[in-house]
């Protein structure tokens, strides 16, 4: 556990490493990305073990949601790095001739990444990929609630990457607070809104820009699907997006489902049978991270009317921190389970008279990180897209948007701000510097005082890029 | 304070209702507002110039060139590009989710707050509003109370030219601004200084509101000996005293040049200044005055500091009554003097000399990152080194300040000079949420992604994520069977 003096020293070392200029070169950035790939390859077994220790994640889930995605992202970054780093030439008005203008990406400097316990490897290393690709020095603070993964990162990052410019610091909230006493060039925080407020307030003292990846209650609007095959696939995807990612402890997991009253029996029957076939044994679903969160989830079901709404599952094993996949039907809308982000394997189903009513339901609530809609109805899709707002919106699937490089990943409103993945990761940790270059060849006297009306008249033409009139007036051929 | 809170809540409440009604979403509404702003800038030119003259003694030419015409071209640029900006952009979804269609759709954030500054009180109020409206938001504007004539002109004019149910002005000082900042906005756009910028971000943190902070800094100008000196001097003078008499965030703040070149540069600057403003600059109609006595006294303090006052080599005259200070050049003031530690924001231009021009980079990097940095040199290696070693919001080689007129360049700071950017497309982006939209069909199902997990499924997943073609075909065909 680091103390204040040690943290200060760490920050100073990172600043020195950045100021030395070595993180700027393409070679350095490529070396970090390759180092990361080697780490993920050589230490894959240890990574799986750490994720299993922390969360009981099956190694297939660990690969699907964390390791595999990271390998994909690091490879993509290596491939695209040259393109991302290249300055972008932009248009310059003829009047400025001779001149050139471009937008040049440059690193921000020394950046701080706070990651979360539920996808502890992915939420640490995906930002790291962007930060090093952008040429920054990085300090990573993994969550202490996933201690094995934190230790895994602490032990290995320095071995596979430039230990002077990419560091890991261990600790809990006190360490986080102490870190925020220092000036960083950017801070990325993934976690809860409560801590995010403190991080942003602390950052404001140094005018440090922040990106906040928060959560929310991600709704799934489930329309009445006609074909048996389509329905089966749809339910697979819903079950796969609720209980498969870390037992529902994921910011983009489905939080609750909205379905039409008359379609409820069909949906419920299929959910139950799919659950049975996907999770024949407990070890194919992650466990609850710790006793505190276990109690939090247990407390959600304490309310008698909520408990009465349980229609499937509900059993809990405190010793093994295991909660069975649980479905509730129409718990009270003002209960905690319907106002707080669940972050667990409890799925409320809310019925509506007409599926179109879901739009108003979702609109009335804070903007979530994702909205999911299973429907073939084009006008419903259009209404959802235009009338709701969320970090992302997925039709006929869920969670998979996380793996698509070309789509920005981030929230809006209460679900946060700032986006990353793919090129957006690079941009998140870059400053886009405007660079304009002029020559001495042509000088327009009209831009200088002393002022008179003829100069103003000339400028009026210029600002409309009306070169023809400008020339005429300049030559005295027009008054 | 109570009244201010009531007014702030009322303005916000009304705009939330207007936004929720969907009024600001259609392109037609946005275009109508933009055309309204354009008409306002065109028809009310005389009134706007008069307000700027009252607030700052700003010459009408500057009012036109630096404020009104920039607002107009900003409107026209937005009108021209609006449809393009509003159209969702298709992006490749890749093989992992085949078949699927992915796009990025821009949507408004909701109700935004724009707090503007006093030095370009018309431009810095309206330019952000143009972006907010183009992006489909409802806006509250809090103009600076330090430019009261422009503030009340805007309060008067805007409702006549734009939709008052979606664009509101709240005038006032600290209590009114604080009351506004306590509310929950979908974005806050602030132009001003770093001290207040911190306060704005701190308020925003309570509601997790994203912010754009357009701040300032000490914009350095490096002047090499390998230049066209006369042109360089004119461009420096134009960027310094031709921009609100140095009261501009991107005005050259100080010059760095070599000891050997300084006399020539000084000589050239003096000649240019006399040509621009005559023998008695305090009488020139082409110079803005200092905005108020607070800032006048602040600038006098900077000039009068011991060890600084004797470094004045040109100018130094001032008129307390008229709040005028003449263009003033200082040579080699101490680096720890107040004039070299704070953003000057006035007509004082210190010239710092170094032995070799390369030393200027270390000096600049010892200060916080500025909003703009400038260099005058024909030496391409020096130009390249300048670009590589200095971080600033924006930079220009062989000119000053003009980059802000190019709508294709992002305008914003870095580090202490701010966060976020605007102008052109960047204004639209600053007030939008770029929503990721993915549409899949049920056509193909990849069983490998679901539990119960088997080694065969893992193998397929590995290959798919690595992009292995055969594995992908297997996945697509629904293998492994019987799982």
């Amino acid at each position: 556990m680091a103390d204040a003096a040690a943290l200060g020293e760490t920050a100073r070392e990172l600043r020195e490493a950045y100021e030395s200029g070595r993180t700027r070169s393409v070679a350095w950035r490529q070396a970090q990305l390759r180092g990361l790939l080697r780490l993920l390859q050589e230490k894959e077994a240890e990574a799986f073990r750490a994720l299993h220790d922390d969360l009981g994640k099956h190694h297939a889930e660990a690969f699907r949601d964390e390791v595999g995605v990271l390998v994909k992202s690091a490879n993509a970054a290596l491939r695209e790095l040259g393109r991302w780093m290249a300055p972008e030439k932009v248009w310059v008005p003829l009047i400025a001739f001779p001149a050139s203008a471009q937008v040049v990406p440059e690193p921000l400097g020394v950046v701080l990444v706070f990651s979360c316990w539920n996808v502890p490897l992915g939420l640490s290393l995906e930002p790291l990929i962007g930060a090093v690709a952008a040429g920054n020095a990085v300090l990573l603070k993994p969550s202490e609630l996933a201690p094995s993964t934190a230790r895994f990162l602490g032990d290995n990052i320095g071995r596979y990457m430039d230990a002077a410019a990419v560091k890991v610091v261990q600790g809990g909230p006190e360490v986080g607070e102490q870190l925020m006493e220092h000036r960083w060039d950017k801070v990325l925080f993934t976690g809860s809104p409560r801590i995010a407020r403190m991080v942003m307030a602390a950052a404001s003292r140094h005018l440090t820009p922040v990106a906040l990846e928060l959560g929310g209650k991600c709704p799934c609007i489930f329309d009445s699907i006609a074909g048996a095959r389509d329905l089966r696939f749809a339910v697979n995807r819903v079950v796969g997006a609720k209980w498969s990612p870390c037992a529902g402890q994921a910011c983009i997991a489905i939080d609750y489902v909205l379905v039409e009253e008359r379609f409820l029996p069909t949906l419920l029957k299929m959910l139950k049978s799919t659950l049975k076939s996907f999770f024949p044994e407990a070890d194919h679903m992650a466990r609850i991270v710790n006793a505190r969160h276990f109690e939090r989830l247990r407390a959600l079901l304490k309310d008698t009317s909520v408990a009465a709404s349980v229609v499937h599952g509900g059993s809990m094993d405190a010793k093994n921190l295991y909660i069975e996949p649980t479905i509730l039907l129409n718990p009270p809308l003002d209960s905690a389970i319907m106002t707080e982000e669940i972050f667990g394997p409890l799925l409320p189903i809310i019925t509506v008279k007409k599926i179109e009513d879901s739009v108003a339901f979702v609109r009335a609530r804070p903007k979530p990180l994702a909205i999911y809609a299973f429907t073939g109805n084009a006008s419903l899709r259009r209404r959802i897209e235009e009338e709701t707002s969320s970090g992302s919106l997925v039709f006929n699937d869920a969670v998979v948007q996380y793996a698509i490089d070309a789509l920005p990943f981030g929230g809006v409103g209460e679900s946060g701000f700032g986006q990353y993945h793919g090129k957006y990761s690079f941009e998140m940790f870059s400053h886009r510097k405007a660079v304009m270059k002029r020559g001495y060849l042509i000088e327009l006297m009209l831009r200088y005082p002393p002022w008179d009306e003829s100069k103003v008249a000339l400028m009026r033409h210029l600002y409309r890029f009306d070169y023809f009139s400008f020339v005429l007036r300049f030559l005295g051929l027009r008054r | 304070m109570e009244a201010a809170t009531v007014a702030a809540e009322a303005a916000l409440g009304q705009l939330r209702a207007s936004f929720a009604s969907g009024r600001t979403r259609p392109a037609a509404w946005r275009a109508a507002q933009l055309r309204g702003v354009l008409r306002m800038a065109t028809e009310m030119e005389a009134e706007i110039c008069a307000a700027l003259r009252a607030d700052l003694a700003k010459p009408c030419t500057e009012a036109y060139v630096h404020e009104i015409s920039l607002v107009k071209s900003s409107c026209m640029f937005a009108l021209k590009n609006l449809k393009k900006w509003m159209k969702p952009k298709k992006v490749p979804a890749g093989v992992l989710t085949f078949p699927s269609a992915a796009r990025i759709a821009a949507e408004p954030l909701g109700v935004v707050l724009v707090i503007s500054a006093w030095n370009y009180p018309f431009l810095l109020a309206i330019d952000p509003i143009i972006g907010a409206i183009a992006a489909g938001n409802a806006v509250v504007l809090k103009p600076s109370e330090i430019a009261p004539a422009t503030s009340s002109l805007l309060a008067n004019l805007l409702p006549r030219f734009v939709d008052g149910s979606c664009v509101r002005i709240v005038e006032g000082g600290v209590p009114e601004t604080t009351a506004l900042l306590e509310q929950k906005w979908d974005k806050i756009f602030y132009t001003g200084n770093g001290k207040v910028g911190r306060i704005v971000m701190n308020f925003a943190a309570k509601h997790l509101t994203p912010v754009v902070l357009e701040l300032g800094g000490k914009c350095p100008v490096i002047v090499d000996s390998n230049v066209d000196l006369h042109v360089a001097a004119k461009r420096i003078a134009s960027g310094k005293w031709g921009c609100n008499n140095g009261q501009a965030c991107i005005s050259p703040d100080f010059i760095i040049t070599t000891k050997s070149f300084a006399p020539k540069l000084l000589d050239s600057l003096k000649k240019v200044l006399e040509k621009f403003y005559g023998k008695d600059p305090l009488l020139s109609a082409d110079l803005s005055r200092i905005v108020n006595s607070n800032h006048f006294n602040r600038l006098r303090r900077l000039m009068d500091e011991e060890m600084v006052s004797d470094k004045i080599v040109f100018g130094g005259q001032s008129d307390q009554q008229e709040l005028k200070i003449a263009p003033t050049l200082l040579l080699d003031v101490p680096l720890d003097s107040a004039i070299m530690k704070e953003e000057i924001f006035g007509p004082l231009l210190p010239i710092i000399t170094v032995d070799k021009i390369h030393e200027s980079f270390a000096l600049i990097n010892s200060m916080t990152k500025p909003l703009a940095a400038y260099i005058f040199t024909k030496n391409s290696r020096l130009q390249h080194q300048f670009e590589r070693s200095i971080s600033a919001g924006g930079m220009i080689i062989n000119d000053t300040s003009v980059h802000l007129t190019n709508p294709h360049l992002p305008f914003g700071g870095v580090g202490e000079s701010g966060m976020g950017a605007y102008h052109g497309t960047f204004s639209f982006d600053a007030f939008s949420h770029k929503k990721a939209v993915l549409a899949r069909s049920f056509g193909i199902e990849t069983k490998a992604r679901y539990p119960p997990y088997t080694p065969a499924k893992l193998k397929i997943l590995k290959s798919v994520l690595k992009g292995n073609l055969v594995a992908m075909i297997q996945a697509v065909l629904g293998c492994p069977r019987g799982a």
Side-chain angles (χ1 to χ4, degrees):
Chain A
M1 206 72 52
D3 67 3
L7 290 176
E9 185 57 27
T10 302
R12 204 193 50 77
E13 277 172 27
L14 286 167
R15 180 64 59 190
E16 216 172 85
Y18 178 72
E19 303 280 309
S20 77
R22 76 164 177 284
T23 64
R24 311 286 299 256
S25 71
V26 181
W28 183 89
R29 307 180 199 202
Q30 286 170 333
Q32 305 320 303
L33 294 169
R34 289 200 185 100
L36 195 55
L37 280 167
R38 264 193 343 267
L39 161 59
L40 292 168
Q41 187 182 29
E42 291 173 17
K43 299 283 175 183
E44 189 184 85
E46 280 100 321
F48 288 160
R49 232 186 345 263
L51 291 168
H52 190 267
D53 278 346
D54 284 334
L55 293 151
K57 268 193 206 197
H58 191 287
H59 66 271
E61 184 187 327
F63 182 81
R64 185 196 65 199
D65 296 348
E66 304 209 46
V67 176
V69 176
L70 289 168
V71 167
K72 166 203 65 70
S73 298
N75 275 319
L78 269 168
R79 220 173 37 237
E80 300 294 310
L81 190 59
R83 210 188 325 249
W84 293 348
M85 284 176 70
E88 185 201 328
K89 272 189 155 48
V90 302
W91 172 93
V92 177
L94 190 59
I95 195 57
F97 183 86
S100 69
Q102 47 186 15
V103 178
V104 181
E106 53 178 35
L108 288 166
V110 183
V111 305
L112 172 60
V113 175
F114 287 107
S115 74
C116 191
W117 53 261
N118 63 329
V119 186
L121 206 62
L123 296 175
S124 298
L125 298 181
E126 187 78 45
L128 186 63
I129 288 170
V132 298
N136 298 279
V138 194
L139 180 60
L140 179 57
K141 194 196 107 32
S143 170
E144 74 284 12
L145 298 182
S148 296
T149 311
R151 215 167 22 246
F152 168 82
L153 289 167
D155 289 343
N156 288 293
I157 290 290
R159 268 193 237 155
Y160 287 84
M161 301 176 79
D162 180 350
V166 184
K167 293 186 193 287
V168 182
V169 69
Q170 308 289 348
E174 339 70 48
V175 170
E177 258 184 71
Q178 278 166 349
L179 283 173
M180 290 308 295
E181 295 286 310
H182 297 269
R183 212 194 138 263
W184 306 95
D185 295 303
K186 184 132 190 181
V187 175
L188 167 62
F189 172 82
T190 304
S192 74
R194 191 179 64 86
I195 315 248
R197 284 186 183 89
M198 300 193 301
V199 169
M200 188 171 171
S204 72
R205 284 178 294 151
H206 298 286
L207 287 175
T208 295
V210 303
L212 306 175
E213 295 275 326
L214 312 176
K217 291 182 77 60
C218 300
C220 173
I221 300 171
F222 201 96
D223 197 1
S224 317
I225 296 176
R229 187 171 167 275
D230 286 359
L231 179 57
R232 197 173 65 244
F233 286 2
V235 175
N236 283 350
R237 291 171 185 184
V238 170
V239 173
K242 172 65 178 187
W243 290 283
S244 189
C246 209
Q249 299 163 104
C251 52
I252 42 165
I254 292 177
D255 189 279
Y256 65 98
V257 167
L258 290 155
V259 70
E260 253 182 29
E261 272 169 2
R262 59 184 181 87
F263 198 68
L264 169 69
T266 313
L267 176 61
L268 194 49
K269 186 161 132 246
M270 294 215 56
L271 282 171
K272 290 181 183 178
S273 67
T274 309
L275 276 170
K276 204 176 288 181
S277 72
F278 278 16
F279 302 106
E281 289 128 40
D283 69 340
H284 288 276
M285 187 173 83
R287 61 152 209 269
I288 307 306
V289 66
N290 60 24
R292 184 168 68 83
H293 279 277
F294 184 92
E295 285 313 316
R296 177 184 65 79
L297 288 163
R298 205 215 293 264
L300 289 179
L301 299 184
K302 261 208 180 65
D303 185 301
T304 32
S305 41
V306 175
S309 69
V310 174
V311 294
H312 180 87
S315 69
M316 305 195 173
D317 176 354
K319 183 157 149 279
N320 293 310
L321 294 175
Y322 179 80
I323 296 179
E324 196 190 344
T326 300
I327 303 176
L328 303 92
L329 179 57
N330 286 321
L333 293 180
D334 59 357
S335 58
I337 202 173
M338 280 311 293
T339 53
E340 295 169 12
E341 186 176 7
I342 296 169
F343 227 67
L346 317 174
L347 179 71
I349 299 179
I350 307 295
T351 57
V352 289
K353 287 226 146 41
K354 286 180 3 278
I355 197 65
E356 285 79 8
D357 299 342
S358 318
V359 176
F361 189 96
V362 168
R363 271 177 70 108
R365 287 160 173 79
K367 299 176 185 178
L369 196 48
I371 292 177
Y372 304 113
F374 287 81
T375 177
N377 180 337
S379 87
L380 177 61
R381 282 161 69 136
R382 199 174 22 87
R383 276 197 66 198
I384 294 171
E385 189 169 339
E386 288 171 14
E387 297 178 36
T388 68
S389 180
S390 52
S392 53
L393 171 62
V394 185
F395 293 112
N396 298 332
D397 209 334
V399 172
V400 289
Q401 73 274 25
Y402 186 80
I404 299 180
D405 287 324
L407 285 176
F409 183 81
V412 63
E414 277 92 327
S415 49
F417 54 84
Q419 297 175 316
Y420 69 126
H421 287 193
K423 177 167 194 197
Y424 300 97
S425 293
F426 178 89
E427 288 176 359
M428 174 180 269
F429 295 104
S430 297
H431 165 55
R432 280 188 300 195
K433 185 166 73 177
V435 182
M436 189 170 169
K437 186 165 136 178
R438 295 209 62 207
Y440 291 103
L441 192 57
I442 293 171
E443 187 63 340
L444 282 173
M445 288 312 298
L446 63 89
R447 74 183 259 202
Y448 305 118
W451 303 122
D452 59 51
E453 269 321 297
S454 68
K455 283 188 181 178
V456 180
L458 280 169
M459 280 193 275
R460 281 180 200 273
H461 292 311
L462 275 186
Y463 274 92
R464 281 199 292 269
F465 303 121
D466 182 357
Y467 296 120
F468 188 63
S469 302
F470 170 80
V471 168
L472 286 182
R473 190 182 276 274
F474 192 76
L475 295 175
L477 295 175
R478 179 203 272 223
R479 282 268 151 252
Chain B
M1 190 68 175
E2 286 254 330
T5 307
V6 168
E9 284 171 358
L12 181 54
Q14 192 210 356
L15 292 186
R16 285 235 170 267
S18 302
F19 180 76
S21 75
R23 206 179 159 77
T24 62
R25 310 293 294 258
W29 180 89
R30 307 182 200 195
Q33 307 319 305
L34 294 171
R35 278 192 291 269
V37 172
L38 191 54
R39 259 192 349 265
M40 176 178 80
T42 311
E43 291 171 20
M44 305 273 94
E45 190 182 309
E47 286 81 349
I48 297 166
C49 278
L52 293 171
R53 202 163 41 243
D55 282 332
L56 296 152
K58 193 173 279 208
C60 263
T61 309
E62 269 190 56
Y64 177 75
V65 174
H66 294 160
E67 302 213 41
I68 296 171
S69 75
L70 287 178
V71 161
K72 284 161 74 165
S73 55
S74 200
C75 279
M76 293 192 288
F77 191 87
L79 278 164
K80 186 165 137 219
N81 289 286
L82 189 61
K83 286 244 155 59
K84 185 173 74 154
W85 292 340
M86 286 176 70
K87 190 158 175 261
K89 287 177 191 29
K90 283 195 168 61
V91 295
V95 289
L96 288 177
T97 50
F98 182 85
S100 61
R103 61 182 176 279
I104 300 170
E107 49 181 40
L109 292 166
V111 184
V112 304
L113 172 64
V114 173
I115 301 174
S116 62
W118 55 259
N119 60 333
Y120 286 81
F122 183 70
L123 174 69
L124 298 177
I126 303 296
D127 211 0
I129 289 181
I130 288 170
I133 289 176
N137 298 277
V139 195
V140 168
L141 167 68
K142 214 305 281 166
S144 172
E145 70 280 17
I146 299 179
T150 311
S151 175
S152 68
L153 180 71
L154 287 170
N156 222 295
L157 286 187
L158 268 173
R160 281 159 53 187
F161 289 88
V162 299
D163 182 349
S165 72
C166 301
V167 182
R168 286 277 299 261
I169 310 218
V170 175
E171 289 191 88
V174 172
E176 285 77 14
T177 311
T178 307
L180 285 169
L181 286 170
E182 280 166 355
Q183 308 302 316
K184 179 171 171 10
W185 303 94
D186 296 303
K187 189 135 191 178
I188 299 176
F189 187 104
Y190 168 76
T191 306
N193 66 58
K195 184 161 89 68
V196 177
R198 284 167 166 82
I199 296 171
V200 169
M201 188 173 169
N202 192 41
F203 270 110
K206 291 199 184 71
H207 298 290
L208 297 170
T209 297
V211 301
V212 171
L213 303 177
E214 295 271 327
L215 311 175
K218 291 182 78 60
C219 301
V221 188
I222 301 175
V223 184
D224 187 25
S225 52
N226 181 2
V227 290
D228 182 330
L229 183 52
H230 187 53
V231 175
K234 284 193 296 195
R235 290 178 181 179
I236 292 170
S238 163
K240 176 72 167 183
W241 298 282
C243 284
N244 213 18
N245 205 11
Q247 300 163 102
C249 50
I250 35 106
S251 262
D253 187 278
F254 67 100
I255 289 179
I256 310 175
T257 191
T258 54
K259 286 189 167 47
S260 51
F261 195 64
K264 287 207 194 75
L265 175 59
L266 260 170
D267 207 51
S268 199
L269 282 169
K270 289 177 188 174
K271 283 203 181 72
V272 165
L273 280 170
E274 203 175 296
K275 180 139 181 269
F276 282 9
Y277 305 112
K279 282 223 177 326
D280 192 352
L282 292 180
L283 300 176
S284 169
D286 293 335
L287 273 178
S288 295
R289 65 150 209 266
I290 306 306
V291 67
N292 60 23
S293 49
N294 262 355
H295 281 277
F296 180 92
N297 294 332
R298 179 183 66 80
L299 288 163
R300 274 252 54 114
R301 262 197 313 272
L302 291 181
M303 286 161 74
D304 295 340
E305 188 181 335
E306 200 186 325
M307 303 286 271
V308 173
S309 53
D310 57 337
K311 308 289 193 295
I312 295 176
V313 293
F314 183 85
Q317 318 95 293
S318 63
D319 179 340
Q320 180 126 38
Q321 190 89 316
E322 298 293 314
L323 291 178
K324 287 199 162 196
I325 297 181
T328 301
L329 303 172
L330 305 96
L331 184 59
D332 278 325
V333 298
L335 290 178
D336 59 358
S337 55
I339 200 174
M340 281 309 292
K341 287 201 128 46
E342 303 166 12
E343 185 177 3
I344 295 169
F345 226 69
L348 321 174
L349 184 65
I351 298 171
I352 305 295
T353 61
V354 291
D355 290 317
K356 288 200 154 46
I357 200 69
H358 292 90
E359 294 165 37
S360 52
F361 299 136
L363 177 56
I364 295 172
N365 283 332
S366 71
M367 302 176 176
T368 59
K369 297 178 185 178
L371 190 53
Y374 307 112
I375 189 170
F376 283 86
T377 182
K378 290 183 186 170
N379 180 333
S380 55
R381 261 192 69 217
L382 196 62
Q383 291 175 355
H384 185 68
Q385 206 184 344
F386 172 73
E387 195 198 298
R388 281 276 307 184
S389 344
I390 310 279
S391 181
M395 36 179 46
I396 309 184
I397 296 168
N398 293 329
D399 211 331
T400 62
S401 72
V402 289
H403 62 308
L404 74 83
T405 64
N406 185 337
H408 296 272
L409 286 173
F411 184 78
V414 62
E416 284 279 334
S417 51
M419 54 184 81
Y422 71 129
H423 287 188
T425 312
F426 306 99
S427 289
F428 180 86
D429 291 346
F431 292 102
S432 297
H433 166 55
K434 298 296 178 79
K435 183 161 75 178
V437 182
L438 179 67
R440 295 207 66 198
S441 68
F442 294 112
I444 290 167
E445 189 61 336
T446 314
K447 287 215 183 65
R449 60 190 267 205
Y450 305 123
Y453 302 118
T454 66
K457 281 187 181 181
L458 181 58
K459 210 157 137 230
I460 290 180
L461 273 179
K462 284 198 173 195
S463 310
V464 167
L465 279 160
K466 282 206 188 91
N468 177 305
L469 196 54
V470 172
M472 284 194 280
I473 293 173
Q474 280 190 303
V476 155
L477 291 176
C479 299
R481 304 215 178 281

